[in-house]
Coordinates of all heavy atoms in Angstrom, one line a residue:
M1 N -33.8 97.2 -107.9 CA -32.9 96.2 -108.5 C -33.7 95.4 -109.5 O -34.8 94.9 -109.3 CB -32.5 95.2 -107.4 CG -31.6 94.1 -107.9 SD -29.9 94.5 -107.8 CE -29.2 93.1 -108.5
A2 N -33.2 95.3 -110.7 CA -33.9 94.6 -111.8 C -33.7 93.1 -111.6 O -32.8 92.6 -110.9 CB -33.2 94.9 -113.1
K3 N -34.7 92.3 -112.2 CA -34.6 90.9 -112.1 C -33.3 90.4 -112.7 O -32.9 90.9 -113.7 CB -35.8 90.2 -112.7 CG -37.1 90.5 -112.0 CD -38.3 90.0 -112.7 CE -38.2 89.1 -113.8 NZ -39.5 88.6 -114.3
K4 N -32.7 89.3 -112.1 CA -31.5 88.7 -112.7 C -31.7 88.2 -114.1 O -30.8 88.3 -114.9 CB -31.0 87.6 -111.8 CG -30.5 88.0 -110.5 CD -29.2 88.8 -110.6 CE -28.6 89.1 -109.3 NZ -27.5 90.0 -109.4
S5 N -32.9 87.7 -114.4 CA -33.2 87.2 -115.7 C -33.1 88.3 -116.8 O -32.7 88.0 -117.9 CB -34.5 86.5 -115.7 OG -35.6 87.4 -115.4
K6 N -33.6 89.4 -116.4 CA -33.6 90.6 -117.4 C -32.2 91.0 -117.6 O -31.8 91.3 -118.8 CB -34.4 91.7 -116.8 CG -35.9 91.5 -116.7 CD -36.5 91.5 -118.1 CE -38.0 91.4 -118.0 NZ -38.7 91.4 -119.3
I7 N -31.4 91.1 -116.6 CA -30.0 91.5 -116.7 C -29.2 90.5 -117.5 O -28.5 90.8 -118.5 CB -29.3 91.7 -115.3 CG1 -30.0 92.9 -114.6 CG2 -27.9 92.0 -115.5 CD1 -29.6 93.0 -113.1
N8 N -29.4 89.2 -117.3 CA -28.7 88.1 -118.0 C -29.2 88.1 -119.5 O -28.3 87.9 -120.4 CB -29.0 86.8 -117.4 CG -28.3 86.7 -116.0 OD1 -27.3 87.4 -115.7 ND2 -28.8 85.8 -115.2
R9 N -30.4 88.3 -119.7 CA -30.9 88.3 -121.1 C -30.3 89.5 -121.9 O -29.9 89.3 -123.1 CB -32.5 88.5 -121.1 CG -33.0 88.4 -122.5 CD -34.5 88.5 -122.5 NE -35.1 87.5 -121.7 CZ -36.3 87.6 -121.1 NH1 -37.0 88.8 -121.2 NH2 -36.8 86.7 -120.3
N10 N -30.2 90.6 -121.2 CA -29.6 91.8 -121.9 C -28.1 91.5 -122.2 O -27.6 91.9 -123.2 CB -29.7 93.0 -121.0 CG -29.6 94.3 -121.8 OD1 -30.1 94.5 -122.8 ND2 -28.8 95.2 -121.2
E11 N -27.4 90.9 -121.3 CA -26.0 90.5 -121.5 C -25.9 89.5 -122.7 O -24.9 89.6 -123.5 CB -25.3 90.0 -120.2 CG -25.2 91.0 -119.1 CD -24.4 92.2 -119.6 OE1 -23.3 92.0 -120.3 OE2 -24.8 93.3 -119.3
H12 N -26.8 88.6 -122.7 CA -26.8 87.6 -123.8 C -27.0 88.4 -125.1 O -26.4 88.0 -126.2 CB -27.9 86.6 -123.6 CG -28.0 85.6 -124.7 ND1 -28.9 85.7 -125.7 CD2 -27.2 84.5 -125.0 CE1 -28.7 84.7 -126.6 NE2 -27.7 83.9 -126.1
R13 N -27.9 89.3 -125.2 CA -28.1 90.1 -126.4 C -26.9 90.9 -126.8 O -26.6 91.0 -128.0 CB -29.2 91.1 -126.1 CG -30.6 90.5 -126.2 CD -31.7 91.5 -126.1 NE -33.0 90.9 -126.2 CZ -34.1 91.2 -125.5 NH1 -34.0 92.3 -124.7 NH2 -35.2 90.6 -125.6
R14 N -26.1 91.4 -125.8 CA -24.9 92.1 -126.1 C -23.9 91.1 -126.8 O -23.2 91.5 -127.8 CB -24.2 92.7 -124.9 CG -24.9 93.9 -124.4 CD -24.1 94.5 -123.2 NE -24.9 95.5 -122.5 CZ -25.1 96.8 -122.9 NH1 -24.5 97.2 -124.0 NH2 -25.8 97.6 -122.2
E15 N -23.8 89.9 -126.4 CA -22.9 88.9 -127.0 C -23.4 88.6 -128.4 O -22.5 88.4 -129.3 CB -22.9 87.6 -126.1 CG -22.3 87.8 -124.7 CD -22.5 86.6 -123.8 OE1 -23.0 85.6 -124.3 OE2 -22.1 86.8 -122.6
V16 N -24.7 88.4 -128.6 CA -25.2 88.1 -129.9 C -25.0 89.2 -130.9 O -24.6 89.0 -132.0 CB -26.7 87.7 -129.8 CG1 -27.3 87.5 -131.2 CG2 -26.9 86.4 -129.0
V17 N -25.1 90.4 -130.4 CA -24.9 91.6 -131.3 C -23.4 91.6 -131.7 O -23.1 91.8 -132.9 CB -25.2 92.9 -130.6 CG1 -24.7 94.1 -131.3 CG2 -26.7 93.0 -130.5
A18 N -22.5 91.4 -130.7 CA -21.1 91.4 -131.1 C -20.7 90.2 -132.0 O -19.9 90.4 -132.9 CB -20.3 91.2 -129.8
R19 N -21.4 89.1 -131.9 CA -21.1 87.9 -132.7 C -21.5 88.2 -134.1 O -20.8 87.7 -135.1 CB -21.8 86.7 -132.1 CG -21.4 85.4 -132.8 CD -22.1 84.2 -132.2 NE -22.3 84.3 -130.8 CZ -23.5 84.0 -130.2 NH1 -24.5 83.6 -131.0 NH2 -23.7 84.1 -128.9
H20 N -22.6 88.8 -134.4 CA -23.1 89.0 -135.7 C -22.9 90.4 -136.3 O -23.4 90.7 -137.4 CB -24.6 88.8 -135.7 CG -25.0 87.4 -135.4 ND1 -24.9 86.3 -136.3 CD2 -25.5 86.8 -134.3 CE1 -25.3 85.2 -135.8 NE2 -25.7 85.4 -134.5
A21 N -22.1 91.2 -135.6 CA -21.9 92.6 -136.1 C -21.2 92.7 -137.4 O -21.7 93.5 -138.3 CB -21.1 93.4 -135.0
A22 N -20.2 91.9 -137.7 CA -19.5 92.0 -139.0 C -20.4 91.5 -140.1 O -20.5 92.2 -141.2 CB -18.3 91.1 -138.9
R23 N -21.1 90.5 -139.9 CA -22.0 90.0 -141.0 C -23.1 91.0 -141.3 O -23.5 91.2 -142.4 CB -22.6 88.6 -140.6 CG -23.6 88.0 -141.5 CD -22.8 87.5 -142.8 NE -23.8 86.8 -143.7 CZ -23.7 86.9 -145.0 NH1 -22.8 87.6 -145.6 NH2 -24.6 86.3 -145.7
R24 N -23.7 91.5 -140.2 CA -24.8 92.6 -140.4 C -24.2 93.7 -141.2 O -24.9 94.3 -142.0 CB -25.3 93.0 -139.0 CG -26.3 92.1 -138.4 CD -26.9 92.7 -137.2 NE -27.5 94.0 -137.4 CZ -28.8 94.1 -137.7 NH1 -29.6 93.1 -137.9 NH2 -29.3 95.3 -137.9
A25 N -23.0 94.2 -140.8 CA -22.4 95.3 -141.5 C -22.2 95.0 -143.0 O -22.5 95.9 -143.9 CB -21.1 95.7 -140.9
E26 N -21.8 93.8 -143.3 CA -21.6 93.4 -144.7 C -22.9 93.5 -145.5 O -23.0 94.1 -146.6 CB -21.1 92.0 -144.8 CG -19.6 91.8 -144.5 CD -19.3 90.3 -144.5 OE1 -20.1 89.5 -145.0 OE2 -18.2 90.0 -144.0
L27 N -23.9 92.9 -144.9 CA -25.2 92.8 -145.6 C -25.9 94.2 -145.7 O -26.4 94.5 -146.8 CB -26.2 91.9 -144.8 CG -25.8 90.4 -144.8 CD1 -26.6 89.6 -143.8 CD2 -25.8 89.8 -146.2
K28 N -25.8 95.0 -144.7 CA -26.3 96.3 -144.8 C -25.6 97.2 -145.8 O -26.2 98.0 -146.5 CB -26.3 97.0 -143.4 CG -27.3 96.4 -142.4 CD -27.3 97.0 -141.1 CE -28.0 98.3 -141.0 NZ -29.4 98.3 -141.1
E29 N -24.3 97.0 -146.0 CA -23.6 97.7 -147.0 C -24.0 97.3 -148.4 O -24.1 98.1 -149.3 CB -22.1 97.5 -146.8 CG -21.2 98.3 -147.8 CD -21.5 99.8 -147.7 OE1 -21.7 100.3 -146.5 OE2 -21.4 100.5 -148.7
I30 N -24.3 96.0 -148.6 CA -24.8 95.5 -149.9 C -26.2 96.2 -150.2 O -26.4 96.6 -151.3 CB -24.9 94.0 -149.9 CG1 -23.5 93.4 -149.9 CG2 -25.7 93.5 -151.2 CD1 -23.5 91.9 -149.7
V31 N -27.0 96.2 -149.2 CA -28.4 96.8 -149.4 C -28.2 98.3 -149.6 O -28.9 98.8 -150.5 CB -29.2 96.5 -148.1 CG1 -30.5 97.3 -148.2 CG2 -29.5 95.0 -148.0
R32 N -27.3 99.0 -149.0 CA -27.2 100.4 -149.1 C -26.5 100.8 -150.4 O -26.7 101.9 -150.8 CB -26.4 100.9 -147.9 CG -26.6 102.3 -147.5 CD -25.9 102.8 -146.3 NE -26.2 101.9 -145.1 CZ -25.3 101.3 -144.4 NH1 -24.0 101.5 -144.7 NH2 -25.6 100.6 -143.4
N33 N -25.6 100.0 -150.9 CA -24.8 100.3 -152.1 C -25.7 100.5 -153.3 O -26.3 99.5 -153.7 CB -23.7 99.3 -152.3 CG -22.8 99.6 -153.4 OD1 -22.8 100.7 -153.9 ND2 -21.8 98.7 -153.6
P34 N -25.7 101.6 -154.0 CA -26.5 101.8 -155.2 C -26.0 101.0 -156.4 O -26.7 100.7 -157.3 CB -26.4 103.3 -155.5 CG -25.3 103.8 -154.8 CD -25.0 102.9 -153.6
G35 N -24.7 100.5 -156.3 CA -24.1 99.8 -157.4 C -24.5 98.3 -157.4 O -24.2 97.6 -158.3
S36 N -25.1 97.8 -156.3 CA -25.4 96.4 -156.2 C -26.7 96.1 -157.0 O -27.6 96.9 -157.1 CB -25.6 95.9 -154.8 OG -26.6 96.6 -154.2
S37 N -26.7 94.9 -157.6 CA -27.9 94.6 -158.4 C -29.1 94.3 -157.5 O -29.0 94.1 -156.3 CB -27.6 93.3 -159.3 OG -27.4 92.2 -158.5
D38 N -30.3 94.2 -158.2 CA -31.5 93.9 -157.4 C -31.5 92.5 -156.8 O -32.0 92.3 -155.7 CB -32.7 94.0 -158.4 CG -32.9 95.5 -158.8 OD1 -32.5 96.4 -158.1 OD2 -33.6 95.7 -159.9
D39 N -30.9 91.6 -157.5 CA -30.8 90.2 -157.0 C -29.9 90.2 -155.7 O -30.2 89.5 -154.7 CB -30.3 89.2 -158.0 CG -31.3 89.1 -159.2 OD1 -32.5 89.3 -158.9 OD2 -30.8 88.7 -160.3
E40 N -28.8 90.8 -155.8 CA -27.9 90.9 -154.6 C -28.5 91.6 -153.5 O -28.4 91.1 -152.3 CB -26.6 91.7 -155.0 CG -25.7 91.0 -155.9 CD -24.5 91.8 -156.3 OE1 -24.6 93.1 -156.2 OE2 -23.4 91.3 -156.7
R41 N -29.2 92.7 -153.8 CA -29.9 93.4 -152.7 C -31.0 92.6 -152.0 O -31.1 92.5 -150.8 CB -30.5 94.7 -153.3 CG -31.0 95.6 -152.2 CD -31.5 97.0 -152.8 NE -30.3 97.7 -153.2 CZ -30.1 98.2 -154.4 NH1 -30.9 98.0 -155.4 NH2 -29.0 98.9 -154.7
A42 N -31.8 91.9 -152.9 CA -32.8 91.0 -152.3 C -32.3 89.9 -151.5 O -32.8 89.5 -150.4 CB -33.7 90.5 -153.5
A43 N -31.2 89.3 -152.0 CA -30.5 88.2 -151.2 C -30.0 88.7 -149.9 O -30.1 88.0 -148.9 CB -29.4 87.6 -152.0
A44 N -29.4 89.9 -149.9 CA -28.9 90.5 -148.7 C -30.0 90.8 -147.7 O -29.8 90.6 -146.5 CB -28.1 91.8 -149.0
Q45 N -31.1 91.3 -148.2 CA -32.2 91.6 -147.3 C -32.8 90.3 -146.7 O -33.1 90.3 -145.5 CB -33.3 92.3 -148.0 CG -33.0 93.8 -148.3 CD -34.1 94.5 -149.1 OE1 -34.8 93.8 -149.8 NE2 -34.1 95.8 -149.1
L46 N -32.8 89.3 -147.5 CA -33.3 88.0 -147.0 C -32.4 87.4 -145.9 O -32.8 86.9 -144.9 CB -33.5 87.0 -148.1 CG -34.2 85.7 -147.8 CD1 -35.6 85.9 -147.3 CD2 -34.2 84.8 -149.0
A47 N -31.1 87.6 -146.2 CA -30.1 87.1 -145.2 C -30.1 87.9 -143.9 O -30.0 87.3 -142.8 CB -28.7 87.2 -145.8
L48 N -30.4 89.2 -144.0 CA -30.5 90.0 -142.8 C -31.7 89.6 -142.0 O -31.7 89.5 -140.8 CB -30.7 91.5 -143.2 CG -29.5 92.4 -143.2 CD1 -29.9 93.8 -143.8 CD2 -28.9 92.5 -141.8
Q49 N -32.8 89.2 -142.7 CA -34.0 88.8 -142.0 C -33.8 87.4 -141.3 O -34.5 87.1 -140.3 CB -35.2 88.7 -142.9 CG -35.7 90.1 -143.4 CD -36.7 90.0 -144.5 OE1 -37.1 88.9 -144.9 NE2 -37.2 91.1 -144.9
R50 N -32.9 86.6 -141.8 CA -32.7 85.3 -141.3 C -31.7 85.4 -140.0 O -31.7 84.4 -139.3 CB -32.0 84.4 -142.3 CG -33.1 84.0 -143.3 CD -32.5 82.9 -144.2 NE -33.5 82.5 -145.2 CZ -33.2 82.1 -146.4 NH1 -32.0 82.1 -146.9 NH2 -34.2 81.7 -147.2
L51 N -31.1 86.5 -139.8 CA -30.2 86.6 -138.6 C -31.1 86.6 -137.4 O -32.3 87.0 -137.5 CB -29.4 87.9 -138.7 CG -28.3 87.9 -139.7 CD1 -27.6 89.3 -139.7 CD2 -27.2 86.9 -139.3
P52 N -30.6 86.3 -136.2 CA -31.4 86.3 -135.0 C -31.9 87.7 -134.7 O -31.2 88.7 -135.0 CB -30.5 85.8 -133.9 CG -29.3 85.2 -134.6 CD -29.3 85.8 -136.0
R53 N -33.1 87.8 -134.1 CA -33.6 89.1 -133.7 C -32.7 89.8 -132.8 O -32.5 91.0 -132.9 CB -34.9 88.9 -133.0 CG -36.1 88.8 -133.9 CD -37.3 88.8 -133.0 NE -38.5 88.6 -133.9 CZ -39.7 88.5 -133.4 NH1 -39.9 88.6 -132.1 NH2 -40.7 88.3 -134.2
D54 N -32.1 89.1 -131.9 CA -31.2 89.8 -130.9 C -29.9 90.2 -131.5 O -29.1 90.8 -130.8 CB -31.0 88.8 -129.7 CG -32.2 88.7 -128.9 OD1 -33.1 89.5 -129.0 OD2 -32.2 87.8 -128.0
A55 N -29.7 90.0 -132.8 CA -28.4 90.4 -133.4 C -28.5 91.9 -133.7 O -27.5 92.5 -134.1 CB -28.2 89.6 -134.7
S56 N -29.7 92.5 -133.6 CA -29.8 93.9 -133.9 C -29.4 94.7 -132.6 O -29.9 94.4 -131.5 CB -31.3 94.2 -134.2 OG -31.5 95.6 -134.4
P57 N -28.6 95.7 -132.8 CA -28.1 96.5 -131.6 C -29.2 97.3 -130.9 O -29.1 97.7 -129.8 CB -27.1 97.5 -132.2 CG -26.8 97.1 -133.6 CD -27.9 96.1 -134.0
T58 N -30.3 97.5 -131.6 CA -31.4 98.3 -131.0 C -32.2 97.5 -129.9 O -32.9 98.1 -129.2 CB -32.4 98.8 -132.1 OG1 -33.0 97.7 -132.7 CG2 -31.8 99.7 -133.0
R59 N -32.0 96.2 -129.9 CA -32.6 95.4 -128.9 C -31.9 95.4 -127.6 O -32.4 94.8 -126.6 CB -32.8 94.0 -129.4 CG -33.9 93.9 -130.6 CD -34.1 92.6 -131.1 NE -34.6 91.6 -130.1 CZ -35.9 91.4 -129.9 NH1 -36.8 92.0 -130.5 NH2 -36.2 90.5 -129.0
V60 N -30.7 95.9 -127.5 CA -29.9 96.0 -126.3 C -30.4 97.2 -125.5 O -30.6 98.3 -126.0 CB -28.4 96.1 -126.6 CG1 -27.7 96.3 -125.3 CG2 -27.9 94.9 -127.3
R61 N -30.7 96.9 -124.2 CA -31.2 98.0 -123.3 C -30.1 98.5 -122.5 O -29.3 97.7 -121.9 CB -32.3 97.3 -122.4 CG -32.9 98.2 -121.4 CD -34.0 99.0 -122.1 NE -34.8 99.7 -121.1 CZ -35.5 100.8 -121.3 NH1 -35.5 101.2 -122.5 NH2 -36.1 101.3 -120.4
N62 N -30.0 99.8 -122.4 CA -29.0 100.4 -121.5 C -29.5 100.3 -120.1 O -30.6 100.6 -119.7 CB -28.8 101.9 -121.8 CG -28.0 102.1 -123.1 OD1 -27.2 101.4 -123.4 ND2 -28.4 103.2 -123.8
R63 N -28.6 99.7 -119.2 CA -29.0 99.5 -117.8 C -28.0 100.0 -116.9 O -26.8 100.1 -117.2 CB -29.2 98.0 -117.6 CG -30.4 97.4 -118.3 CD -30.6 96.0 -117.9 NE -31.8 95.5 -118.5 CZ -33.0 95.5 -117.8 NH1 -33.1 96.0 -116.6 NH2 -34.1 95.1 -118.4
D64 N -28.4 100.3 -115.6 CA -27.5 100.8 -114.6 C -26.4 99.7 -114.4 O -26.8 98.5 -114.3 CB -28.3 101.0 -113.3 CG -27.5 101.6 -112.2 OD1 -26.3 101.3 -112.1 OD2 -28.0 102.4 -111.5
A65 N -25.2 100.1 -114.3 CA -24.1 99.1 -114.1 C -24.2 98.4 -112.7 O -23.7 97.3 -112.6 CB -22.8 99.8 -114.3
V66 N -24.8 99.0 -111.7 CA -24.8 98.5 -110.4 C -26.0 97.6 -110.2 O -25.8 96.4 -109.8 CB -24.7 99.6 -109.3 CG1 -24.7 99.1 -107.9 CG2 -23.5 100.5 -109.6
D67 N -27.2 98.1 -110.4 CA -28.3 97.3 -110.0 C -29.2 96.9 -111.2 O -30.2 96.2 -111.1 CB -29.2 98.0 -109.0 CG -29.8 99.3 -109.4 OD1 -29.5 99.7 -110.6 OD2 -30.5 99.9 -108.6
G68 N -28.9 97.4 -112.4 CA -29.6 97.0 -113.6 C -30.9 97.8 -113.9 O -31.7 97.3 -114.7
R69 N -31.1 98.9 -113.3 CA -32.3 99.7 -113.5 C -32.3 100.1 -115.0 O -31.4 100.7 -115.5 CB -32.2 100.9 -112.6 CG -33.4 101.8 -112.7 CD -33.3 103.0 -111.8 NE -34.3 104.0 -112.2 CZ -35.5 104.1 -111.7 NH1 -35.9 103.1 -110.9 NH2 -36.3 105.0 -112.1
P70 N -33.5 99.9 -115.7 CA -33.5 100.2 -117.1 C -33.9 101.6 -117.4 O -33.6 102.1 -118.5 CB -34.6 99.3 -117.6 CG -35.5 99.1 -116.5 CD -34.6 99.1 -115.2
R71 N -34.5 102.3 -116.5 CA -35.0 103.7 -116.8 C -34.1 104.7 -116.2 O -33.4 104.5 -115.1 CB -36.4 103.9 -116.2 CG -37.5 102.9 -116.6 CD -37.9 103.2 -118.1 NE -38.9 102.3 -118.5 CZ -40.2 102.7 -118.8 NH1 -40.6 103.9 -118.6 NH2 -41.0 101.8 -119.2
G72 N -34.1 105.9 -116.8 CA -33.3 107.0 -116.2 C -31.8 106.8 -116.3 O -31.0 107.2 -115.5
Y73 N -31.3 106.1 -117.4 CA -29.9 105.8 -117.6 C -29.2 107.0 -118.0 O -29.6 107.7 -119.0 CB -29.8 104.7 -118.7 CG -28.4 104.3 -119.0 CD1 -27.7 103.4 -118.2 CD2 -27.8 104.7 -120.2 CE1 -26.4 103.1 -118.5 CE2 -26.5 104.4 -120.5 CZ -25.8 103.5 -119.7 OH -24.6 103.1 -120.0
I74 N -28.1 107.3 -117.4 CA -27.2 108.4 -117.8 C -26.0 107.8 -118.4 O -25.1 107.2 -117.8 CB -26.8 109.3 -116.5 CG1 -28.0 109.9 -115.9 CG2 -25.8 110.4 -117.0 CD1 -27.7 110.6 -114.6
G75 N -25.8 108.0 -119.7 CA -24.8 107.3 -120.5 C -23.4 107.7 -120.2 O -22.5 106.8 -120.1
K76 N -23.2 108.9 -119.9 CA -21.8 109.4 -119.6 C -21.3 108.7 -118.3 O -20.1 108.4 -118.2 CB -21.8 110.9 -119.4 CG -20.5 111.5 -119.4 CD -20.6 113.0 -119.4 CE -19.2 113.7 -119.6 NZ -19.3 115.1 -119.7
A77 N -22.2 108.5 -117.3 CA -21.7 107.9 -116.1 C -21.9 106.3 -116.1 O -21.3 105.6 -115.3 CB -22.5 108.5 -114.9
G78 N -22.9 105.9 -116.9 CA -23.2 104.4 -117.0 C -24.0 103.9 -115.8 O -24.1 102.7 -115.6
I79 N -24.7 104.9 -115.2 CA -25.6 104.5 -114.0 C -26.9 105.2 -114.2 O -27.1 106.1 -115.0 CB -24.9 104.9 -112.7 CG1 -24.5 106.3 -112.7 CG2 -23.8 104.0 -112.4 CD1 -23.9 106.8 -111.3
S80 N -27.9 104.9 -113.4 CA -29.2 105.5 -113.4 C -29.2 106.8 -112.7 O -28.3 107.1 -111.9 CB -30.3 104.6 -112.8 OG -30.1 104.5 -111.5
R81 N -30.2 107.6 -112.9 CA -30.3 108.9 -112.3 C -30.4 108.8 -110.8 O -29.9 109.7 -110.0 CB -31.5 109.7 -112.8 CG -32.8 109.0 -112.5 CD -34.1 109.7 -113.0 NE -35.2 108.9 -112.8 CZ -35.9 108.9 -111.6 NH1 -35.4 109.5 -110.6 NH2 -36.9 108.1 -111.5
V82 N -31.1 107.8 -110.3 CA -31.2 107.6 -108.8 C -29.9 107.3 -108.2 O -29.5 107.9 -107.2 CB -32.2 106.4 -108.6 CG1 -32.3 106.1 -107.1 CG2 -33.5 106.7 -109.2
R83 N -29.1 106.4 -108.8 CA -27.8 106.1 -108.2 C -26.8 107.2 -108.4 O -26.0 107.5 -107.6 CB -27.2 104.8 -108.9 CG -25.9 104.5 -108.4 CD -25.6 103.0 -108.3 NE -26.8 102.1 -108.1 CZ -27.1 101.7 -106.9 NH1 -26.4 102.0 -105.8 NH2 -28.1 100.9 -106.8
F84 N -27.0 108.0 -109.6 CA -26.1 109.1 -109.8 C -26.3 110.2 -108.7 O -25.3 110.7 -108.1 CB -26.5 109.7 -111.2 CG -25.6 110.9 -111.6 CD1 -24.4 110.7 -112.2 CD2 -25.9 112.2 -111.3 CE1 -23.6 111.7 -112.6 CE2 -25.1 113.2 -111.6 CZ -24.0 113.0 -112.3
R85 N -27.5 110.4 -108.3 CA -27.8 111.4 -107.3 C -27.3 111.0 -105.9 O -26.7 111.7 -105.2 CB -29.4 111.6 -107.2 CG -29.8 112.7 -106.3 CD -31.2 113.0 -106.6 NE -31.6 114.3 -105.9 CZ -32.1 114.3 -104.7 NH1 -32.4 113.2 -104.0 NH2 -32.4 115.5 -104.1
A86 N -27.5 109.7 -105.6 CA -27.0 109.2 -104.3 C -25.5 109.2 -104.3 O -24.9 109.6 -103.3 CB -27.5 107.7 -104.1
M87 N -24.8 108.8 -105.4 CA -23.4 108.9 -105.4 C -22.8 110.3 -105.3 O -21.8 110.6 -104.7 CB -22.8 108.1 -106.6 CG -23.0 106.6 -106.5 SD -22.5 105.8 -108.0 CE -20.8 105.8 -107.8
A88 N -23.5 111.2 -106.0 CA -23.1 112.6 -106.0 C -23.2 113.2 -104.6 O -22.4 113.9 -104.1 CB -23.9 113.4 -107.0
H89 N -24.3 112.9 -103.9 CA -24.5 113.3 -102.5 C -23.4 112.8 -101.6 O -23.0 113.5 -100.6 CB -25.9 112.9 -102.0 CG -27.0 113.8 -102.4 ND1 -27.0 115.2 -102.2 CD2 -28.1 113.5 -103.1 CE1 -28.1 115.7 -102.7 NE2 -28.8 114.7 -103.3
N90 N -23.0 111.6 -101.8 CA -22.0 111.0 -100.9 C -20.6 111.4 -101.3 O -19.6 111.0 -100.7 CB -22.1 109.4 -101.0 CG -23.4 108.9 -100.4 OD1 -24.0 109.6 -99.6 ND2 -23.8 107.8 -100.8
G91 N -20.4 112.1 -102.4 CA -19.1 112.6 -102.9 C -18.3 111.5 -103.6 O -17.1 111.6 -103.6
E92 N -19.0 110.5 -104.1 CA -18.3 109.4 -104.8 C -18.0 109.6 -106.3 O -17.3 108.8 -106.9 CB -19.1 108.1 -104.6 CG -19.3 107.7 -103.2 CD -20.3 106.6 -103.0 OE1 -20.9 106.1 -104.0 OE2 -20.6 106.2 -101.8
L93 N -18.5 110.7 -106.8 CA -18.3 111.0 -108.2 C -17.4 112.3 -108.3 O -17.8 113.4 -107.8 CB -19.6 111.4 -108.9 CG -20.6 110.2 -109.0 CD1 -21.9 110.7 -109.6 CD2 -20.0 109.1 -109.8
P94 N -16.2 112.1 -108.8 CA -15.3 113.2 -108.8 C -15.8 114.3 -109.8 O -16.2 114.0 -110.9 CB -14.0 112.6 -109.3 CG -14.4 111.4 -110.0 CD -15.6 110.9 -109.3
G95 N -15.7 115.6 -109.3 CA -16.1 116.7 -110.2 C -17.5 117.0 -110.1 O -18.0 118.0 -110.8
I96 N -18.3 116.2 -109.4 CA -19.8 116.4 -109.3 C -20.1 117.0 -107.9 O -19.8 116.3 -106.9 CB -20.6 115.1 -109.6 CG1 -20.2 114.5 -110.9 CG2 -22.1 115.4 -109.5 CD1 -20.5 115.3 -112.1
T97 N -20.8 118.1 -107.9 CA -21.2 118.7 -106.6 C -22.6 119.0 -106.7 O -23.2 119.3 -107.7 CB -20.4 120.0 -106.2 OG1 -20.6 120.9 -107.3 CG2 -18.9 119.7 -106.1
K98 N -23.3 119.0 -105.5 CA -24.7 119.3 -105.4 C -24.8 120.8 -105.6 O -24.2 121.6 -104.9 CB -25.3 118.8 -104.1 CG -26.8 119.1 -104.0 CD -27.3 118.7 -102.7 CE -28.8 118.9 -102.5 NZ -29.2 120.3 -102.8
S99 N -25.7 121.2 -106.5 CA -25.9 122.7 -106.6 C -26.8 123.2 -105.6 O -27.8 122.6 -105.1 CB -26.4 123.0 -108.0 OG -27.7 122.4 -108.2
S100 N -26.5 124.4 -105.1 CA -27.4 125.1 -104.2 C -27.3 126.6 -104.5 O -26.3 127.1 -104.9 CB -27.0 124.8 -102.8 OG -25.7 125.2 -102.5
W101 N -28.4 127.3 -104.4 CA -28.4 128.7 -104.7 C -29.3 129.5 -103.7 O -30.0 128.9 -102.9 CB -28.8 129.0 -106.1 CG -30.1 128.5 -106.6 CD1 -31.3 129.1 -106.6 CD2 -30.3 127.2 -107.1 NE1 -32.2 128.3 -107.1 CE2 -31.7 127.1 -107.4 CE3 -29.5 126.0 -107.4 CZ2 -32.3 126.0 -107.9 CZ3 -30.2 124.9 -107.9 CH2 -31.5 124.9 -108.2

């Protein structure tokens, strides 16, 4: 089980990313657009740098939905490999069976 502070901090980051997503997209489009002038591009880059660090989506960590484990995350299921295996053994995941040969 991950510390509550780590889980809460990650949730806060998700909120900050969502709050600044539109503004980041605008600024990044200005920087990416070849038709924008050098002054516009420089101003957009400066504005991007002034946004909070946590506004970047790469700072959000994928975590297990149940206990917050940060490693071994399986995106399709939204849980970690440890929990995935335990749930599969218990038959709690539809369509997933333990392989044996």
Side-chain angles (χ1 to χ4, degrees):
M1 176 92 184
K3 294 177 6 178
K4 290 290 184 187
S5 60
K6 294 285 188 181
I7 296 171
N8 290 338
R9 184 180 303 152
N10 200 44
E11 290 306 314
H12 180 260
R13 283 184 178 146
R14 286 186 193 277
E15 293 169 6
V16 172
V17 165
R19 190 178 327 134
H20 294 284
R23 179 71 176 143
R24 278 184 62 86
E26 287 174 13
L27 294 172
K28 288 178 78 70
E29 185 57 35
I30 292 170
V31 171
R32 202 177 307 125
N33 187 3
S36 60
S37 68
D38 291 337
D39 293 336
E40 289 175 337
R41 188 173 289 122
Q45 286 175 340
L46 188 62
L48 264 174
Q49 290 174 357
R50 287 188 178 145
L51 288 176
R53 277 188 183 175
D54 288 343
S56 174
T58 58
R59 290 181 61 92
V60 175
R61 179 81 170 158
N62 288 327
R63 291 184 174 270
D64 187 323
V66 179
D67 65 359
R69 178 181 168 86
R71 303 284 180 114
Y73 177 79
I74 300 174
K76 192 170 186 178
I79 54 178
S80 68
R81 62 179 176 80
V82 177
R83 181 144 329 264
F84 184 87
R85 188 167 190 264
M87 290 175 77
H89 280 300
N90 295 337
E92 297 171 1
L93 297 174
I96 307 294
T97 57
K98 183 182 182 304
S99 65
S100 60
W101 58 93

